[in-house]
Amino acid sequence: MRVLVVEDDVTMAETIRDGLALQCFTVDLRHDGAAGLSAASGDAYDVIVLDIMLPRIDGREVCRQLRERNVRTPILMLSATSPEDVTGDVLALGADDFLGKPFSFPVLVARLRALSQE
């Protein structure tokens, strides 16, 4: 499975990448919204993991623009914000799922597999 992770916390992004690699996922990292938007618009991914709080363009706007461009890749949004504060908002923008930080790595893997229907 090919996954794009857009996360500005480099340590967290690398931890996610390394853990997913152990599960035989191929992972590309981007650390700001503009780079994530560009990568997601041009490359074919099975799923996108997208943090909400990103530099340059926030995750909500990245999600909105991807859907506006008819990019239908499943999107799992991440945020340290309370799920009650953002879940409905990000789902309305076109995200397919939301996971609050901190999260259980096995739950992340299970959700990515469900989203990609692998």
Side-chain angles (χ1 to χ4, degrees), residues 9 28-29 33 36 38-39 45 57 64 76 78 81 85 89 91 98 104 116:
D9 180 328
D28 292 336
L29 300 179
S38 177
Y45 290 98
I57 303 173
R64 188 192 69 71
L76 171 67
L78 297 177
T81 308
D85 294 338
D89 179 38
L91 295 176
F98 173 83
S104 160
S116 72

Side-chain angles (χ1 to χ4, degrees), residues 39-109:
S41 296
D43 289 323
Y45 290 98
D46 297 302
V47 69
I48 299 166
V49 177
L50 181 61
D51 189 30
I52 289 178
M53 300 298 291
L54 294 168
R56 298 184 64 201
I57 303 173
D58 77 7
R60 287 180 177 95
E61 182 62 15
V62 171
C63 181
R64 188 192 69 71
Q65 287 190 36
L66 288 172
R67 295 311 188 223
E68 189 175 86
R69 296 175 185 185
N70 289 318
V71 174
R72 295 293 164 219
T73 306
I75 298 173
L76 171 67
M77 301 286 291
L78 297 177
S79 180
T81 308
S82 167
E84 294 80 25
D85 294 338
V86 296
T87 303
D89 179 38
V90 298
L91 295 176
L93 288 171
D96 298 280
D97 200 357
F98 173 83
L99 191 56
K101 295 178 191 175
F103 53 83
S104 160
F105 195 77
V107 170
L108 173 65
V109 170

